Amino acid sequence: MSRSLSMPLTVDAREHGLVGDGTTDQPAFTAAQHGAGRDNHLADITFAHFEVDGSGVGTQEYDALAKGIGLQYVLRGRFSDLFVHDTAATGFGCDFLQDTLVEGFWRSGADGRTPARRWAARG
């Protein structure tokens, strides 16, 4: 099943099932949470001109779901003019992107707010 949005996403991401894990409101669509896969993917979708501010999310241990943007299986996606900052996990954690463009993306202070991860590499 392909989730195809033919126009730019100009409404609340929650209306399209792109929500976080309940502790964050980041765009998320993953295999573990939503059954994302080759036959269940996002297609022809644009994320543009917005900010993800993760400064209000804190975890005592590393939590992979505390990403700024966490998407899997995106076909012909476009990520443009995004600012992701102060997230407890990876700022842009997207896997299995096909024919996808990422441009004008700025990440700052991601993957460093969890006490156990402050010393680790940032990504």
Side-chain angles (χ1 to χ4, degrees):
M1 175 174 85
S2 173
R3 295 174 190 255
S4 181
L5 300 175
S6 60
M7 71 274 179
L9 184 61
T10 58
V11 296
D12 191 321
R14 288 174 281 256
E15 293 178 19
H16 294 278
L18 302 173
V19 297
D21 65 352
T23 61
T24 61
D25 283 328
Q26 89 281 19
F29 184 73
T30 67
Q33 293 175 285
H34 309 98
R38 288 182 181 201
D39 296 325
N40 184 24
H41 58 272
L42 297 174
D44 305 308
I45 191 164
T46 297
F47 291 89
H49 316 298
F50 70 88
E51 169 184 1
V52 175
D53 179 355
S55 62
V57 177
T59 59
Q60 290 301 311
E61 297 178 4
Y62 180 77
D63 182 352
L65 299 179
K67 296 176 181 179
I69 299 174
L71 302 171
Q72 294 179 325
Y73 297 97
V74 176
L75 175 64
R76 295 182 307 273
R78 181 178 178 130
F79 299 87
S80 180
D81 188 28
L82 304 178
F83 176 38
V84 177
H85 62 94
D86 300 313
T87 58
T90 303
F92 185 75
C94 297
D95 304 314
F96 313 110
L97 306 177
Q98 183 176 347
D99 299 329
T100 294
L101 174 68
V102 179
E103 65 179 353
F105 185 89
W106 187 44
R107 179 206 54 87
S108 175
D111 198 22
R113 294 185 41 257
T114 303
R117 297 281 293 185
R118 285 196 177 121
W119 56 269
R122 311 289 193 257

